[in-house]
Amino acid sequence: MRVDEVAAPQTVAEALAILKRRPDAVPWAGGTLLMTVESAAFGDKPASLLDLGGIAELTVINRSDRYLELGACVSLSAILALPRSLSLEPLRGAAGLVGTASVRNLATIGGNVAARGSFMTCFSALACMDAAMEIRDASGSRWSSIHTLVDEDGRPRFPRAALLTRIRVPTAPWDAASVHPLGMAPRGEAYPATFAAAARFEKETISELRLLAAGKRLVRDRALELSLVGKRLPLSAKDVDAARSAARDEAIEAELGAGPASLYGTYVASFLASIQEEGR
Ligand SMILES: Cc1cc2nc3c(=O)[nH]c(=O)nc-3n(C[C@H](O)[C@H](O)[C@H](O)COP(=O)(O)OP(=O)(O)OC[C@H]3O[C@@H](n4cnc5c(N)ncnc54)[C@H](O)[C@@H]3O)c2cc1C
């Protein structure tokens, strides 16, 4: 990446004014993805950077009874340092999978969610948790579901000339949650896709279930989830096996790669088997 110009706004309003003048300016948060994987996409073209590091309001963490609100520039280390009493799985587990401790000190949650090329590790966890995103651009500010950042083809679609400013994560506890990297990254991808799952039970019955994988594309089989919601625990071996095959087939169709797709099926099956025990 050849840097042509750097703007260092102190407020979100200033950053938006710069983006209005230079819609091609590239938001720079921790820079850990831009300096590595995304840098190649710029080639030798001069890039204009919008450094978000001086905007204090983007590093605020707020808590209410029902939500945790994270400024987009909150680091992954700061998320991992939040009290264990706060119900944050599977996000906490996903944040812990990213890089090393020194990478996580720089890496922000906003940079993880707003990555352009692939869904990064925290995306599947936040999608499981139905997180909401505050996105601001020249036309104003709006809250929308994280699912609006996925296009019809299951690929990332973060809007151009826009800033992710806050992420609202519901903190109602899940009875079971899980997150795992899906093996080695396939050729052409820097990081492996990530499996994330969460479930709630009521009276030994599955009342809510999320099963996802996210890499180049997001894989979520709502028909499979719905077929399992309402089932009594423990699930039959037949149901668990059918879920493994359905999940694997869905991931193959989404071109996650044969290895990750098969691992995804295995994690779906082992998550469903584990909730049999916990739900009893
Ligand atoms: C050694 C190493 C290992 C890594 N391992 C992993 C891994 O296992 N899993 C993983 O997910 N990542 C990994 N990463 C990549 C990276 O650390 C994370 O994805 C990180 O969360 C990105 O955050 P950042 O603040 O550094 O983003 P940046 O690099 O600053 O930005 C990333 C992208 O998001 C955009 N952006 C950033 N903030 C905003 C905003 N507020 N609004 C709009 N757009 C924005 C940028 O323009 C850019 O396109 C690794 C990196 C390194 C160096």
Side-chain angles (χ1 to χ4, degrees):
M1 178 191 280
R2 189 155 62 80
V3 177
D4 173 39
E5 192 186 345
V6 180
Q10 299 298 300
T11 63
V12 170
E14 275 174 41
L16 292 172
I18 294 164
L19 271 181
K20 193 169 177 189
R21 268 198 327 273
R22 299 267 336 227
D24 58 335
V26 180
W28 177 283
T32 59
L33 195 60
L34 278 168
M35 267 187 304
T36 53
V37 180
E38 288 195 355
S39 150
F42 291 90
D44 209 25
K45 276 189 300 188
S48 165
L49 299 185
L50 182 63
D51 180 4
L52 306 180
I55 307 182
E57 61 199 284
L58 293 181
T59 58
V60 171
I61 301 181
N62 273 320
R63 278 169 69 174
S64 75
D65 288 350
R66 292 164 52 210
Y67 300 106
L68 177 73
E69 218 168 71
L70 300 167
C73 287
V74 167
S75 71
L76 300 184
S77 307
I79 293 174
L80 289 168
L82 288 166
R84 304 291 306 180
S85 55
L86 194 61
S87 172
L88 265 193
E89 290 303 341
L91 175 60
R92 196 191 301 270
L97 290 176
V98 174
T100 57
S102 41
V103 170
R104 292 192 292 270
N105 284 339
L106 290 172
T108 67
I109 187 66
N112 205 277
V113 169
R116 275 31 183 200
S118 294
F119 294 109
M120 295 287 117
T121 300
C122 296
F123 198 97
S124 50
L126 287 168
C128 250
M129 299 168 95
D130 284 332
M133 307 286 136
E134 184 187 54
I135 297 190
R136 293 175 65 175
D137 60 16
S139 66
S141 144
R142 61 195 176 278
W143 279 100
S144 43
S145 156
I146 188 167
H147 300 288
T148 61
L149 302 181
V150 182
D151 76 9
E152 301 70 30
D153 207 22
R155 296 178 198 275
R157 73 154 157 223
F158 194 87
R160 256 173 57 81
L163 280 185
L164 174 60
T165 42
R166 284 183 289 175
I167 299 175
R168 196 177 277 167
V169 188
T171 48
W174 293 91
D175 294 310
S178 178
V179 61
H180 292 283
L182 290 173
M184 301 287 287
R187 197 178 314 169
E189 282 183 55
Y191 304 109
T194 311
F195 160 81
R200 292 196 177 96
F201 324 125
E202 245 169 63
K203 298 188 185 133
E204 298 189 10
T205 298
I206 300 177
S207 57
E208 275 187 77
L209 180 65
R210 309 284 154 73
L211 302 165
L212 316 151
K216 267 278 181 255
R217 287 161 92 172
L218 186 95
V219 180
R220 179 173 178 193
D221 185 342
R222 286 174 199 257
L224 170 64
E225 290 173 3
L226 286 173
S227 73
L228 294 166
V229 166
K231 292 229 172 197
R232 254 188 109 64
L233 296 169
L235 295 176
S236 67
K238 195 169 149 223
D239 280 337
V240 171
D241 267 350
R244 182 203 317 270
S245 308
R248 190 198 51 222
D249 293 352
E250 183 82 10
I252 285 176
E253 204 172 315
E255 295 163 8
L256 222 62
S262 153
L263 204 50
Y264 176 51
T266 303
Y267 281 130
V268 163
S270 71
F271 179 72
L272 294 173
S274 75
I275 65 172
Q276 285 182 198
E277 282 152 29
E278 289 165 33
R280 271 201 255 205

